[in-house]
Amino acid sequence: MKYFELFSLPINFNIDLALLNQAYLRLQKTVHPDKFAHKSSKEQLLAVQKSAEINDALHVLKHPLKRAEYILAERGVDIRAEQQTLQDPMFLMQQMELREELEDISSASDPEDEIEAFEKKIQMLEKDFHQQLTALIDQTELVQLERAADVVRKLKFIYKLRDELERVEDSLLDD
Amino acid sequence: MALLQIAEPGQSAAPHQHKLAIGIDLGTTNSLVATVLSGEAKTLADQNNQVMLPSVVHYTQNGIEVGANAFKNAALDAENTLVSVKRFLGKSKADIESEYTQLPYKLSEQNGIFNIETCQGPINPIQASSEILKTLKKRAQDSFGGDDITGAVITVPAHFDDAQRQGTKDAAELAGLNVLRLLNEPTAAAVAYGLDSGQEGIIAVYDLGGGTFDISILRLSQGVFEVLATGGDASLGGDDFDALLVEYFKQKTAQNELDSPSLRLFMSKAKACKEALSEYKKVNVILEFADQSHTVEVTKELFNELAAPFVKKTLRACRRAVKDAGITNEEVLEVVMVGGSTRMPIVRDQVGLFFEKRPLTSIDPDQVVAIGAAIQANILVGNKPDSDMLLLDVLPLSLGLETMGGLVEKIIPRNTTIPVARAQEFTTFKDGQTGMVLSVLQGERELVDDCRALAKFSLKGIPPMAAGAAHILVTFKVDADGLLSVSAMEKSSGVQAEIQVKPSFGLSDDQVSQMLKDSMNFAKEDMQARMLKEQQVEALRVIEAINASLVEAKNLLTESELTTLEVEIDKLIQLRETATTPEQLKTAITELDNASSDFAARRMDDSIKKALTGQSVDQV
């Protein structure tokens, strides 16, 4: 769990974002290339590498999905490059319905209200999956971790929906 | 009250000598240079006491003119007078021909480099920009009594892509400047207002220049600046407001078509009228052209009415940027105004209304960027070792690769904090495929044709495998200046390819160094002597840096490691005096650099540990 160690944080899916950010800034103040602008080229190169590594670690830990995938990978269940689809008809059905709902938003009479309502719905789902994940991800048995991986796969759908909602919102702003 | 210290004559007061660092605002219309003297940042003026240098380069049979004199010739000798070359940086001939249809220049292309044909031969935008930078460098040197400049920070628009940034850096190198950092213009403006000290929160930088509009949303926390979002319009600026008045004048004087002298007259009258309306409620404009004379009255109300759609357009971009940043208007703590066009009262008022606070205007909006750059340069060069300021910048536009079907696969999305390294795996499309062309793109669109092609390179020697079996790992690395390098490797065979992304229409390193040599009007011996001197300075810098590190962290080395390193240092100290060729010294510097690399890595790890245990390095 190199990334957690890097920021001196306990290995946990529920992370203290304020602490993470504090540690991040303190590290960047130490290694950022700006601090080495007048040093030797070797040191400058090293600083760029370290700084990039810290940026990457922050990027992974900050995002719940990436954080979950990272923890799972470190525990031996790496799903980061997989193409596997989800085997859960109920969930997939629900997703299709949500997608249709999303498509109708831009033609609704009051799209802004609809967007807000849809956002709430997604947030509820997200919260629910986060809770499931919290309970499963710190287990040591493989069965539990596999179940956690399934929750992560579902979360991916949710985040994709959220991205698309944002796109709808953007296109409304453009008009 | 503390007493001021005065040093013995001939002795430096500080243990570290104050190094000369400059900040340069390389602008589309005007460029400026600033420096920090006795703790205060100020712009430097030329002999005529002018701070702004028009970004105009005039090529004549006898030489090169830059600035106000060149500007005067813009109309008389248009094809040899390069105006606003910043627009052309990092662009191809085709880009420019499609974007600007009425340029007075003869364009040509040679070995993939785009040139403007002048009476001094083909000149590319990087060379022309370097002439502007040389002029500013000279101005700074003169004001320092001829002393050498240690380093420079040069500002670029936050939305500049890799090719444009690379072009700016090449121009600086060509001008003989040591670039400490390319800094985003909005960040520089915020630094100038000292927003880095004490305050925390969101800062909006509204930059309306002569021909461009930029809005940037920055976040400040614990002395760190982050660019959260940028937006704007590359073809909206003060000139467009002038054009509105020109149209109005044409209407009032019943003119449909104007010949070019009359058009120029209308344009300059429009500009003057716009500026006067910042102070007066009503302006009478007298237009005398082609035996006609007209007086046109323009009131502030009328101007505001004409200008409103443009101001609104900028506010729409502001709304977009605020949303991209994931914040609300109320969260904006300060609004910084940059660019001469923000002197227009309607702009100030509307921006104030939009963000619900009075914008900051106390620093001259034309100078604020250069001043911020100078402050940052002063820190980077090492004059303020205790500074806690850190500027974290983000990638302005997404970087990706072309995949099958003309689609773009994004590797690093925009607004990612830099420096950054990201890798992604790709695979082969056909059975037995042994090579792969990687096309590097920058932009937000899904289709290759809508993005900017930065470079192409190929990976060869992939062992023949079934389609989809090869694992090609492509790594994108972006440094703190926002400049990209890309490498590719086939994982099973270890076949590698690597390039520093030099845009197809930019200059290669060799071309830059060749031009640098060409541009020096020295005999070969002089050149050799100059290069040797440069290496001597570099050697001293490396020796000082390592010695300083030894004082700080000798304990990280074993006895024998310390001895080895000290021997290497002594070797370089001696060679610095005795070396006769720059190559000799350069090799020795690299050797010492290598010998100390382990030490550097250990120190870095050590300081990381210390940073997190909460004790600062000097307390240990």
Side-chain angles (χ1 to χ4, degrees):
Chain A
M1 299 285 178
K2 208 178 70 195
Y3 286 172
F4 286 95
E5 235 170 69
L6 189 59
F7 293 109
S8 278
L9 290 170
I11 300 161
N12 201 328
F13 175 67
N14 285 318
I15 198 167
D16 185 334
L17 286 174
L19 273 184
L20 174 69
N21 212 33
Q22 255 176 38
Y24 167 75
L25 293 181
R26 220 175 300 155
L27 286 179
Q28 283 296 11
K29 278 186 188 177
T30 320
V31 305
H32 193 275
D34 277 1
K35 302 283 163 192
F36 296 84
H38 59 293
K39 296 281 175 70
S40 75
S41 54
K42 258 272 143 47
E43 281 178 283
Q44 288 180 14
L45 193 68
L46 207 61
V48 173
Q49 282 166 0
K50 278 284 171 202
S51 179
E53 194 182 316
I54 289 161
N55 277 333
D56 202 41
L58 177 79
H59 174 73
V60 168
L61 291 193
K62 209 162 79 178
H63 196 281
L65 204 60
K66 294 216 159 65
R67 183 164 69 235
E69 284 180 332
Y70 174 72
I71 296 174
L72 282 174
E74 293 286 307
R75 298 209 155 115
V77 183
D78 195 347
I79 60 166
R80 286 174 296 190
E82 71 171 15
Q83 305 284 332
Q84 195 184 331
T85 49
L86 198 62
Q87 313 265 340
D88 186 337
M90 285 289 283
F91 176 79
L92 293 173
M93 199 66 140
Q94 184 198 26
Q95 283 299 304
M96 270 166 62
E97 280 163 16
L98 283 170
R99 259 166 203 281
E100 277 164 24
E101 207 175 301
L102 182 64
E103 271 166 32
D104 293 338
I105 284 183
S106 34
S107 53
S109 57
D110 194 347
E112 267 159 36
D113 280 1
E114 299 272 326
I115 285 173
E116 207 171 304
F118 196 82
E119 211 165 11
K120 284 233 169 75
K121 213 178 276 183
I122 297 180
Q123 271 168 6
M124 294 277 286
L125 285 168
E126 189 188 339
K127 208 173 147 199
D128 184 36
F129 286 131
H130 273 202
Q131 275 165 1
Q132 291 184 33
L133 203 51
T134 309
L136 290 167
I137 205 166
D138 289 324
Q139 309 285 331
T140 44
E141 288 146 61
L142 195 61
V143 194
Q144 310 272 32
L145 291 175
E146 290 288 0
R147 282 177 59 198
D150 251 350
V151 178
V152 173
R153 290 181 188 113
K154 287 179 186 171
L155 261 177
K156 273 191 194 173
F157 278 89
I158 303 297
Y159 282 114
K160 234 177 235 159
L161 265 183
R162 204 175 58 182
D163 287 349
E164 239 136 81
L165 179 69
E166 216 151 88
R167 226 165 287 159
V168 171
E169 234 180 317
D170 276 357
S171 65
L172 286 174
L173 265 182
D174 284 341
D175 295 337
Chain B
M1 200 185 101
L3 290 173
L4 297 174
Q5 298 168 326
I6 297 169
E8 185 92 12
Q11 275 182 15
S12 163
H16 296 285
Q17 200 193 346
H18 182 87
K19 293 180 187 129
L20 300 175
I22 54 174
I24 292 180
D25 174 4
L26 182 62
T28 311
T29 324
N30 292 294
S31 298
L32 299 93
V33 59
T35 193
V36 176
L37 277 177
S38 318
E40 202 187 332
K42 50 178 250 174
T43 47
L44 302 172
D46 66 6
Q47 289 151 333
N48 302 322
N49 215 17
Q50 293 298 311
V51 166
M52 305 235 270
L53 178 75
S55 301
V56 182
V57 186
H58 180 213
Y59 290 85
T60 71
Q61 296 295 347
N62 310 321
I64 302 169
E65 279 180 321
V66 178
N69 281 338
F71 184 68
K72 278 184 208 138
N73 291 307
L76 302 170
D77 187 16
E79 65 183 88
N80 289 311
T81 310
L82 310 193
V83 181
S84 305
V85 280
K86 188 176 174 179
R87 298 174 292 172
F88 307 151
L89 270 180
K91 304 237 165 134
S92 69
K93 183 164 167 267
D95 287 339
I96 296 189
E97 281 169 343
S98 70
E99 246 173 272
Y100 307 98
T101 46
Q102 293 194 321
L103 291 175
Y105 310 124
K106 275 186 226 131
L107 308 184
S108 67
E109 207 162 25
Q110 209 181 11
N111 302 329
I113 307 169
F114 146 70
N115 286 312
I116 295 163
E117 294 295 332
T118 71
C119 61
Q120 288 223 2
I123 298 293
N124 64 55
I126 295 172
Q127 287 169 308
S129 302
S130 88
E131 294 302 332
I132 298 169
L133 292 170
K134 273 183 209 164
T135 307
L136 293 173
K137 180 187 170 192
K138 173 103 191 354
R139 186 191 286 183
Q141 270 172 330
D142 290 349
S143 78
F144 296 149
D147 282 351
D148 262 344
I149 292 159
T150 310
V153 166
I154 298 173
T155 59
V156 290
H159 59 75
F160 250 26
D161 68 21
D162 186 75
Q164 294 166 305
R165 282 168 201 263
Q166 190 67 60
T168 307
K169 204 171 180 185
D170 286 345
E173 260 163 49
L174 212 49
L177 287 167
N178 168 32
V179 182
L180 297 163
R181 182 73 67 240
L182 297 180
L183 182 63
N184 284 329
E185 288 163 7
T187 314
V191 170
Y193 274 103
L195 296 178
D196 52 299
S197 55
Q199 297 189 72
E200 307 231 319
I202 309 283
I203 291 154
V205 181
Y206 182 101
D207 180 352
L208 191 59
T212 54
F213 168 64
D214 291 295
I215 173 73
S216 312
I217 310 291
L218 314 177
R219 183 172 57 205
L220 243 181
S221 61
Q222 301 171 52
V224 177
F225 271 110
E226 283 174 85
V227 182
L228 294 180
T230 66
D233 191 329
S235 51
L236 175 65
D239 301 346
D240 296 290
F241 292 82
D242 299 348
L244 291 170
L245 286 173
V246 170
E247 274 311 307
Y248 183 71
F249 295 164
K250 274 162 83 176
Q251 203 186 317
K252 285 285 153 184
T253 56
Q255 301 292 315
N256 286 326
E257 291 294 319
L258 288 171
D259 57 2
S260 60
S262 308
L263 181 62
R264 259 202 304 282
L265 173 88
F266 274 45
M267 277 160 70
S268 75
K269 289 280 183 184
K271 192 168 192 303
C273 170
K274 176 188 74 179
E275 286 169 8
L277 283 170
S278 293
E279 279 177 52
Y280 303 100
K281 285 202 159 114
K282 196 171 78 180
V283 175
N284 282 322
V285 182
I286 298 160
L287 297 160
E288 283 171 340
F289 62 101
D291 332 318
Q292 299 189 40
S293 178
H294 297 262
T295 302
V296 180
E297 183 191 274
V298 185
T299 62
K300 201 168 189 166
E301 286 74 31
L302 174 85
F303 178 71
N304 285 353
E305 204 176 296
L306 289 173
F310 281 149
V311 179
K312 216 173 226 166
K313 210 170 160 194
T314 67
L315 295 181
R316 211 175 302 143
C318 291
R319 189 169 305 127
R320 185 66 193 253
V322 163
K323 193 182 170 296
D324 281 351
I327 56 148
T328 59
N329 284 3
E330 297 86 70
E331 285 176 75
V332 174
L333 183 76
E334 297 283 7
V335 182
V336 175
M337 297 299 248
V338 182
S341 304
T342 59
R343 291 202 181 89
M344 281 185 270
I346 180 176
V347 172
R348 291 187 178 183
D349 293 347
Q350 293 294 318
V351 171
L353 278 175
F354 179 82
F355 287 109
E356 296 165 36
K357 52 197 56 78
R358 186 191 290 266
L360 296 174
T361 53
S362 61
I363 302 178
D364 185 329
D366 285 316
Q367 301 189 14
V368 63
V369 168
I371 285 175
I375 293 171
Q376 176 71 352
N378 192 48
I379 293 172
L380 291 185
V381 85
N383 283 340
K384 284 185 81 181
D386 300 331
S387 163
D388 200 30
M389 182 167 94
L390 178 63
L391 306 180
L392 285 176
D393 261 343
V394 296
L395 190 69
L397 298 157
S398 304
L399 289 165
L401 273 186
E402 174 173 354
T403 60
M404 287 306 300
L407 294 176
V408 184
E409 174 70 24
K410 279 181 191 162
I411 310 272
I412 310 180
R414 75 174 163 154
N415 286 340
T416 300
T417 310
I418 52 173
V420 68
R422 291 272 164 84
Q424 190 153 329
E425 264 186 35
F426 291 87
T427 191
T428 43
F429 178 65
K430 278 187 188 155
D431 287 343
Q433 186 177 339
T434 59
M436 190 178 256
V437 174
L438 297 161
S439 177
V440 183
L441 302 156
Q442 188 160 32
E444 304 316 312
R445 308 286 292 277
E446 310 275 321
L447 293 176
V448 170
D449 290 345
D450 300 328
C451 284
R452 178 152 191 70
L454 288 177
K456 257 189 186 151
F457 73 114
S458 50
L459 178 68
K460 288 180 191 136
I462 303 170
M465 285 181 249
H471 289 272
I472 289 123
L473 190 73
V474 180
T475 309
F476 277 47
K477 286 183 199 148
V478 180
D479 70 13
D481 289 324
L483 299 176
L484 171 72
S485 62
V486 181
S487 62
M489 185 184 71
E490 202 288 307
K491 278 166 95 183
S492 65
S493 58
V495 175
Q496 288 202 31
E498 189 156 352
I499 51 159
Q500 177 88 44
V501 172
K502 283 281 184 171
S504 345
F505 27 80
L507 304 174
S508 71
D509 282 341
D510 287 349
Q511 283 166 325
V512 172
S513 66
Q514 187 55 44
M515 278 180 199
L516 197 55
K517 279 182 190 162
D518 293 347
S519 71
M520 291 180 186
N521 301 318
F522 296 119
K524 200 170 174 222
E525 300 81 65
D526 286 347
M527 174 99 167
Q528 192 80 349
R530 190 193 153 105
M531 280 162 68
L532 181 63
K533 186 166 172 260
E534 276 175 8
Q535 289 302 323
Q536 283 167 343
V537 172
E538 177 63 15
L540 188 64
R541 205 172 63 90
V542 172
I543 293 165
E544 278 180 354
I546 295 178
N547 275 336
S549 309
L550 281 175
V551 172
E552 266 171 40
K554 208 185 255 181
N555 57 325
L556 296 175
L557 293 172
T558 65
E559 281 289 326
S560 71
E561 283 169 334
L562 180 62
T563 318
T564 318
L565 194 57
E566 280 171 345
V567 168
E568 290 291 332
I569 296 172
D570 282 342
K571 240 164 68 188
L572 187 60
I573 291 175
Q574 296 204 346
L575 197 63
R576 196 177 155 261
E577 307 286 335
T578 57
T580 49
T581 69
E583 290 79 21
Q584 229 179 332
L585 205 47
K586 200 173 176 183
T587 318
I589 292 171
T590 315
E591 270 168 24
L592 179 58
D593 234 0
N594 287 337
S596 69
S597 71
D598 249 10
F599 179 43
R602 259 181 252 174
R603 254 188 9 264
M604 187 87 67
D605 287 339
D606 189 55
S607 46
I608 287 177
K609 246 180 261 156
K610 280 175 185 155
L612 284 184
T613 45
Q615 40 191 341
S616 82
V617 181
D618 14 353
Q619 287 172 318
V620 181

